[in-house]
């Protein structure tokens, strides 16, 4: 890689990072400004991802589908397009993506909005059966001022929704300005050529890493804990030379709940595993994913067809895809033990407020180290909402927040511990919990013990892994998150 290319690559990555900073600092909702549940990236004129800020893995791997959906409408310079439809480039409805053209491609922001007009406050119902129950569906749409007003009018807390969308718009406009400045300084053709080479360099680095893996076919299965039973994920990993194919044939059909996900989410999870196992330091561009092919039967759990509900697919099924693909690779190479494998989604709200958070837990131990405790890992990578910010903005009080000692699995290296988070509600509201690993514990690796399963409680009484119900003022919700598995006997 030449010095000039390194400089241009750093400048493009800096633009993506600055976009993220603008979005976070301008946002209204705690979910974006405190938890940083958002992502930003730059794409070239062909719709290939060139530079991304290191935010949410499940967002970033799915962004190319959203860009492709917008490119079909031939967007013009100065226009901003919005999309959240999972079946045309989205993930789940709260994740709204904005795409705008720059002088050398496209700028993209994606953020999880605390409500998008779903049946339940927060638009993350545990028991939704169709996409329409989960909120406003936005196909690729030119985002004019009038369209923005009409969209937020269909959502709870429209002032907060408007503020978050304007924060995304500010990040897109910043990118347009910065890319134009870069093209003026360095020349449009040189910037475009650098984008091409950055993409190619990432692909070469990933192919070199894959070529060091043992060729073969490797399989694994895992379980999702649905409301009405268990669903199976099956993954077959084929390593051949410098390419990898991941196939989900044998996975359960899409079901009458919301653990379904579009193929874009499955790809995101697979791409995350590839970066973790093959070359964590490869530049974060779409070229790193070019050697990886992901397939799944149409109409299965990880390649769902509309109008299937998908609220939990983006958060919980994506986490389980990571587990099952990692386990398949474990037939060929050493891999970490399983982490908590869930985002522990908690949504609280009414017509006045909506609050959403995910909760960290234990990560699996590695061949050479213990697993970290109390972290957001894998497909989440968000932060925790600070207690002070939560209690200042919402009618909630944090009664307890700390580690869950002993929940990590034992082994030569121990798994990380989960956490305990206890929230008291100060007014009547609705609660939705979408969680996993309440029945099936995160597995240990190479003889290590499994981590502890998680628990959900209301006033000390057990709740299911997935539940939506009414809360009265002074009720206490307790989430005990799973620990990570241990590694080695």
């Amino acid at each position: 890689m030449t010095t000039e290319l390194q400089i241009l690559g750093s400048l493009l990555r800096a633009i993506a990072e600055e976009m993220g900073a603008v979005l976070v600092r301008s946002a209204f909702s705690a979910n974006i400004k405190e938890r940083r549940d958002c992502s930003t990236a730059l794409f070239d004129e062909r719709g290939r991802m060139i530079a991304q800020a290191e935010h949410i893995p499940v967002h970033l791997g799915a962004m190319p589908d959203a860009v492709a959906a917008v490119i079909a409408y031939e967007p013009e310079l100065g226009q901003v397009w919005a999309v959240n439809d999972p079946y045309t480039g989205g993930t789940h409805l709260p994740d709204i993506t904005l795409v705008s053209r720059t002088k050398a491609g496209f700028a993209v922001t994606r953020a999880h909005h605390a409500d998008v007009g779903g049946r339940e406050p927060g638009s993350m119902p545990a028991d939704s059966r169709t996409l329409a129950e989960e909120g406003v569906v936005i196909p690729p749409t030119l985002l004019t001022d009038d369209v923005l007003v009409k969209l937020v009018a269909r959502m709870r807390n429209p002032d907060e929704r408007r503020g978050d969308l304007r924060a995304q718009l500010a990040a897109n406009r910043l990118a347009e300005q910065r890319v134009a400045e870069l093209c003026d300084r360095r020349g449009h053709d040189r910037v475009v050529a650098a984008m091409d080479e950055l993409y190619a360099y990432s692909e070469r680095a990933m192919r070199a890493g894959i070529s060091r893996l043992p060729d073969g076919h490797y399989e694994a299965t895992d379980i999702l804990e649905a409301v009405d039973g268990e669903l199976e994920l099956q993954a077959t990993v084929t390593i051949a030379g410098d390419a990898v194919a991941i196939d989900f044939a044998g996975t359960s059909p899409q079901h009458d709940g919301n653990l379904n996900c579009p193929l874009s989410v499955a790809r995101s999870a697979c791409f995350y595993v590839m970066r973790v196992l093959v070359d964590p330091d490869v530049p974060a561009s779409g070229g790193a994913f070019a050697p990886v092919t992901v397939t799944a039967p149409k109409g299965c759990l990880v390649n769902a067809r509309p109008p299937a509900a998908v609220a939990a697919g983006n958060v919980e099924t994506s986490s389980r895809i990571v587990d099952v693909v990692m386990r398949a690779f474990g037939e060929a190479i050493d891999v970490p033990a399983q982490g908590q494998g869930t985002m522990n989604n908690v949504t609280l709200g009414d017509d006045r407020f909506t609050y959403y958070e995910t909760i960290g837990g234990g990560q699996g131990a590695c061949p050479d180290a213990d697993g970290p405790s109390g972290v957001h890992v894998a497909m989440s990578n968000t932060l925790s909402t600070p207690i002070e910010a939560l209690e200042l903005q919402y009618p909630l009080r944090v009664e307890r927040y700390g580690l869950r000692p002993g929940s990590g699995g034992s082994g030569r290296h121990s798994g990380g511990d989960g956490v305990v988070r206890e929230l008291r509600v100060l007014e009547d509201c609705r609660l939705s919990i979408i969680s996993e690993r309440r029945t099936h514990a995160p597995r240990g690796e190479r003889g290590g013990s499994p981590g502890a399963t998680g628990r959900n409680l209301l006033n000390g009484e057990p709740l299911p892994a997935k539940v939506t119900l009414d809360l009265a003022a002074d009720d206490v919700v307790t989430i005990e998150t799973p620990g990570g598995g241990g590694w080695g006997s």
Side-chain angles (χ1 to χ4, degrees):
M1 183 180 283
T2 67
T3 301
E4 183 182 24
L5 184 61
Q6 288 180 326
I7 291 171
L8 286 169
S10 295
L11 289 169
L12 289 168
R13 286 189 291 273
I15 294 172
E17 292 288 352
E18 189 178 4
M19 290 170 66
V22 167
L23 174 50
V24 167
R25 294 178 182 181
S26 304
F28 278 43
S29 67
N31 192 52
I32 300 173
K33 71 180 179 183
E34 304 289 356
R35 293 187 60 249
R36 303 190 180 186
D37 196 345
C38 58
S39 301
T40 55
L42 293 177
F43 285 68
D44 68 8
E45 293 170 339
R46 294 162 59 182
R48 301 179 303 176
M49 186 169 66
I50 301 302
Q52 64 183 53
E54 299 288 357
H55 293 309
I56 314 298
V58 76
H59 288 178
L60 296 165
M63 276 186 177
D65 288 344
V67 175
V70 170
I71 286 177
Y73 290 84
E74 300 181 352
E76 299 176 2
L77 194 64
Q79 293 180 339
V80 179
W81 290 68
V83 59
N84 76 344
D85 185 349
Y87 301 106
T88 54
T91 48
H92 64 176
L93 297 184
D95 288 343
I96 298 178
T97 304
L98 300 190
V99 180
S100 60
R101 182 176 283 282
T102 69
K103 278 194 172 182
F106 299 89
V108 185
T109 59
R110 176 170 286 178
H112 183 118
H113 290 254
D115 189 87
V116 287
R119 190 192 67 205
E120 294 291 336
S123 303
M124 290 284 287
D127 55 354
S128 53
R129 295 177 180 271
T130 65
L131 198 61
E133 297 178 72
E134 297 178 343
V136 177
V137 180
I138 310 170
T141 302
L142 181 60
L143 190 63
T144 63
D145 290 342
D146 287 344
V147 169
L148 190 150
V149 169
K150 291 176 181 177
L151 280 177
V152 301
R154 300 168 64 187
M155 304 172 185
R156 295 174 183 84
N157 300 329
D159 289 342
E160 187 175 88
R161 301 289 77 72
R162 184 182 301 106
D164 285 346
L165 282 168
R166 285 179 173 170
Q168 284 187 256
L169 282 166
N172 279 70
R173 296 305 189 196
L174 178 280
E176 294 167 25
Q177 178 184 339
R178 292 288 185 263
V179 171
E181 292 169 353
L182 183 59
C183 289
D184 290 343
R185 287 201 313 271
R186 300 282 178 168
H188 175 270
D189 291 346
R190 295 183 80 82
V191 172
V192 170
M195 288 180 166
D196 284 339
E197 180 53 29
L198 288 167
Y199 187 93
Y201 176 82
S202 294
E203 180 175 352
R204 290 196 301 271
M206 182 60 77
R207 288 192 184 278
I210 293 171
S211 66
R212 293 191 288 268
L213 303 177
D215 286 357
H217 299 274
Y218 309 100
E219 298 182 357
T221 60
D222 212 323
I223 297 296
L224 281 163
E225 301 163 4
V227 173
D228 53 356
E230 295 181 346
L231 302 169
E232 185 173 90
L233 292 181
Q234 183 168 326
T236 300
V237 172
T238 302
I239 304 172
D242 63 356
V244 168
I246 303 172
D247 183 57
F248 291 94
T251 292
S252 295
Q254 66 186 61
H255 75 127
D256 193 22
N258 61 16
L259 282 163
N260 310 291
C261 68
L263 190 59
S264 59
V265 169
R267 288 196 195 102
S268 291
C270 293
F271 295 160
Y272 166 82
V273 173
M274 294 302 300
R275 286 198 67 191
V276 167
L277 295 182
V278 177
D279 190 350
D281 295 323
V282 67
S285 88
F289 312 139
V292 184
T293 303
V294 180
T295 55
K298 290 182 179 180
C300 80
L301 196 65
V302 300
N303 189 8
R305 305 288 92 184
V310 297
N314 184 58
V315 288
E316 298 304 288
T317 305
S318 68
S319 301
R320 191 63 65 255
I321 292 169
V322 169
D323 286 345
V324 72
V325 173
M326 192 82 76
R327 193 170 184 222
F329 272 102
E331 298 295 308
I333 59 174
D334 284 340
V335 300
Q338 290 183 343
Q340 67 164 345
T342 175
M343 296 191 197
N344 305 293
N345 306 267
V346 177
T347 310
L348 294 155
D350 52 26
D351 289 337
R352 189 182 70 82
F353 83 97
T354 54
Y355 176 70
Y356 168 76
E357 69 175 5
T358 63
I359 305 174
Q363 175 65 328
C366 296
D368 57 355
D370 293 343
S373 299
V375 291
H376 294 261
V377 292
M379 302 309 287
S380 177
N381 197 39
T382 56
L383 302 178
S384 297
T385 307
I387 293 171
E388 297 84 354
L390 187 157
E391 294 184 342
L392 179 66
Q393 191 169 351
Y394 302 99
L396 305 169
R397 188 165 67 220
V398 179
E399 298 287 331
R400 181 183 176 192
Y401 186 39
L403 292 179
R404 187 185 175 199
S407 55
S410 61
R412 188 187 317 160
H413 296 288
S414 300
D417 286 333
V419 304
V420 180
R421 190 156 172 94
E422 197 167 87
L423 302 173
R424 184 182 299 274
V425 300
L426 304 182
E427 64 181 55
D428 295 355
C429 61
R430 294 281 283 175
L431 164 72
S432 289
I433 298 174
I434 299 176
S435 59
E436 279 282 324
R437 294 296 191 208
R438 268 45 181 178
T439 301
H440 297 272
R443 293 184 179 92
E445 190 71 23
R446 301 294 193 267
S449 299
T453 55
R455 291 203 308 164
N456 306 328
L457 305 167
L458 175 58
N459 300 324
E461 296 299 320
L463 287 174
K466 298 168 181 66
V467 64
T468 294
L469 48 76
D470 288 314
L471 295 182
D474 219 35
D475 279 345
V476 176
V477 178
T478 304
I479 309 294
E480 298 179 358
T481 69
W487 202 99
S489 54

